[in-house]
Amino acid sequence: GQPTHLDILGERYATDDVTNITPAIVSKLTERLHTQHGHPLSTLRALIEGHYADYTHLSSFSPLVTPFKNFDELSFPKDHPGRSVTDSYYVNRDLMLRTHTSAHEVEVFGKGETKWLLTADVYRRDEIDGSHYPVFHQMEGARIFNATPTGMKEVEEDNERLSYHLARSNIVIEDVPHLAPTNPNQPEHNPLHSELVAKNLKLSLNALMLTLFGTSNRTEPLRVRWIEAYFPFTSPSFEVEVFFRGKWLEILGSGVVRQATLDTAKVPNKLGWAFGLGLERIAMILYSIPDIRLFWSKDERFLSQFQQGAITTFKPYSKYPSCFKDVSFWLPHEANLHENDFCDLIRDVTGDLVEDVKTVDRFVHPKTNRTSLCYRINYRSMDRSLSNEEVNEIQSLVVSRLKDTFGVEIR
Ligand code: PHE
């Protein structure tokens, strides 16, 4: 059965009916890869911090937050899917693992910070494949200005400075309007102020993209495109994509901070912007790291390839053979099983030995109303060859855990 409490980061917490944090997740909470000297995520963080050298750099906030802080303070509606236990990790009803660094916006603005970066590990329940991992790292950046003529003059001067720099760089930008009926100004804002701030956000991030992707030896211009987006805590909102090695890559989400956020933080008469970017995504591209599990590797063949401050191309050591195992089962009468629940069980039993999981078959028996599921589990270690016997043993652990946890009947 379920334990009555969980020990997390030195504290004991009571569990309840929504508890879904597994030991595999608890073991990640102390890693803080973005602070491990020499780790690619640490170098990338430092590169971005160097770009925003006059900002306050924060990186030691606890991953445990209330759902109120992760969602409500940021104007998420009560029925937002991100709140569900299938998408997020809960210690209990009142405490969860942050799903994004935006969870700290109110707190940081409330301390009086006006230009800041915050780096942290974030947690989301997800499928298993080469680019998804239930823990990843984000960087939040924000800047706010006084909503006064002096404040807006500061924005205009910064915009001029950034435009001057960008005009002399090898970059091509596809833009969208700063404000549009589908991406509106907030009613609290003077549209002229909002436009200036959205422009500042774009210029600032275009300059960051040049720092990250605009290597000096490139002949083709760097292509950056801005896309209208939606987030509950910004308006207007934008996403940024960069064309790199033949593909458009989603880099970040951003927008003009909702006034409700700044009101809750008790900072009157200001407005500004925020962005949030995923470090693994960018690091995988810059270092040519092919599988997101590698960031967690303790293998010297991985770690010894990197040194703090240098972006180098990862040389993959040989891929070990993979081994597929299928598991088919009936769920208990009228029960359901979310793929994320299955994947968390896999991660808990196998650690990082599974490369991906695919649903092979799913159907409901017309007479008994029972659901039958078949998953294909692809086992592959990043560090060594797995023997068939060893995989069979792990697979039987998976099967017995499935029976115990979900009462399934193996077919
Ligand atoms: N928190 C958002 C995400 O995780 C990104 C974001 C940050 C968007 C700040 C707007 C402003 O997707």
Side-chain angles (χ1 to χ4, degrees):
Q2 277 284 356
T4 58
H5 65 264
L6 284 174
D7 291 314
I8 301 174
L9 299 172
E11 298 279 341
R12 179 158 288 191
Y13 299 95
T15 56
D16 64 17
D17 54 326
V18 304
T19 306
N20 61 0
I21 299 191
T22 62
I25 295 298
V26 172
S27 74
K28 302 293 187 220
L29 293 166
T30 47
E31 291 268 342
R32 300 171 37 77
L33 298 178
H34 57 289
T35 64
Q36 291 187 14
H37 193 78
H39 194 280
L41 296 178
S42 166
T43 289
L44 182 54
R45 168 177 70 97
L47 181 61
I48 297 171
E49 287 180 347
H51 181 87
Y52 286 112
D54 58 339
Y55 283 47
T56 302
H57 302 159
L58 306 159
S59 62
S60 51
F61 284 60
S62 168
L64 293 169
V65 297
T66 59
F68 188 81
K69 188 165 162 149
N70 196 79
F71 296 120
D72 298 80
E73 279 188 350
L74 293 163
S75 314
F76 278 73
K78 278 285 173 212
D79 61 354
H80 193 277
R83 294 179 186 259
S84 72
V85 291
T86 54
D87 284 27
S88 298
Y89 288 106
Y90 287 85
V91 177
N92 55 41
R93 282 185 182 277
D94 305 317
L95 203 62
M96 65 183 300
L97 298 178
R98 68 184 153 226
T99 65
H100 57 171
T101 43
S102 304
H104 300 292
E105 279 193 9
V106 167
E107 186 177 358
V108 177
F109 285 132
K111 289 184 202 289
E113 297 292 350
T114 57
K115 305 161 99 167
W116 54 271
L117 291 177
L118 183 150
T119 314
D121 39 330
V122 302
Y123 297 78
R124 293 186 198 172
R125 300 189 72 199
D126 230 318
E127 298 127 56
I128 297 184
D129 68 34
S131 60
H132 290 92
Y133 202 80
V135 193
F136 59 103
H137 297 78
Q138 283 191 330
M139 228 162 155
E140 194 88 359
R143 179 166 184 188
I144 50 174
F145 304 89
N146 291 326
T148 60
T150 322
M152 290 307 108
K153 193 150 173 272
E154 196 188 323
V155 183
E156 277 177 308
E157 281 168 11
D158 199 48
N159 288 353
E160 265 173 48
R161 176 185 69 82
L162 287 163
S163 300
Y164 183 89
H165 164 61
L166 288 161
R168 276 150 196 80
S169 306
N170 198 11
I171 184 170
V172 172
I173 299 150
E174 280 176 44
D175 206 356
V176 289
H178 303 329
L179 295 173
T182 45
N183 204 16
N185 179 46
Q186 296 170 44
E188 298 91 331
H189 289 160
N190 175 338
L192 295 174
H193 292 185
S194 188
E195 283 223 63
L196 281 175
V197 166
K199 185 172 179 189
N200 188 254
L201 160 72
K202 290 175 176 174
L203 291 169
S204 175
L205 287 171
N206 287 335
L208 176 65
M209 293 308 112
L210 270 172
T211 297
L212 294 179
F213 300 103
T215 53
S216 51
N217 61 7
R218 101 186 349 266
T219 48
E220 298 280 291
L222 174 66
R223 293 171 68 193
V224 174
R225 88 181 162 197
W226 287 81
I227 298 167
E228 237 179 73
Y230 176 80
F231 301 102
F233 43 96
T234 50
S235 191
S237 304
F238 308 97
E239 266 161 18
V240 173
E241 293 185 350
V242 166
F243 195 74
F244 200 70
R245 306 216 174 107
K247 274 195 275 189
W248 284 102
L249 307 159
E250 278 177 41
I251 301 294
L252 59 86
S254 65
V256 176
V257 177
R258 274 228 175 270
Q259 217 48 39
T261 308
L262 295 175
D263 291 348
T264 311
K266 300 202 169 61
V267 279
N269 309 319
K270 295 207 187 269
L271 82 162
W273 50 254
F275 69 82
L277 57 79
L279 288 180
E280 275 84 350
R281 269 268 177 86
I282 299 173
M284 285 174 84
I285 301 160
L286 291 179
Y287 290 87
S288 305
I289 293 173
D291 188 311
I292 196 164
R293 292 179 299 165
L294 284 164
F295 290 108
W296 301 89
S297 174
K298 300 283 177 249
D299 194 314
E300 273 308 307
R301 284 168 301 173
F302 179 77
L303 291 174
S304 68
Q305 292 198 25
F306 306 102
Q307 60 199 97
Q308 185 69 23
I311 294 190
T312 47
T313 302
F314 173 65
K315 291 173 208 67
Y317 31 95
S318 65
K319 257 200 171 191
Y320 294 95
S322 71
C323 176
F324 292 94
K325 297 284 170 191
D326 287 357
V327 56
S328 317
F329 51 87
W330 291 105
L331 288 178
H333 191 67
E334 290 189 345
N336 204 351
L337 176 68
H338 194 285
E339 183 169 348
N340 288 349
D341 291 321
F342 183 77
C343 288
D344 259 331
L345 183 148
I346 298 288
R347 286 199 154 106
D348 216 34
V349 177
T350 73
D352 284 350
L353 293 180
V354 170
E355 185 170 274
D356 68 20
V357 170
K358 289 199 174 73
T359 311
V360 177
D361 192 38
R362 175 178 200 122
F363 72 90
V364 181
H365 192 284
K367 291 223 172 83
T368 65
N369 233 357
R370 283 171 88 192
T371 301
S372 163
L373 279 165
C374 179
Y375 288 112
R376 178 158 300 164
I377 306 169
N378 181 12
Y379 290 89
R380 190 204 308 266
S381 166
M382 291 177 298
D383 312 331
R384 64 201 168 88
S385 245
L386 297 173
S387 72
N388 195 43
E389 282 151 32
E390 191 179 358
V391 174
N392 280 337
E393 239 165 71
I394 303 170
Q395 177 77 357
S396 70
L397 286 176
V398 167
V399 167
S400 60
R401 188 67 106 69
L402 267 173
K403 291 191 214 158
D404 294 350
T405 314
F406 300 112
V408 310
E409 186 189 317
I410 303 295
R411 301 185 60 180

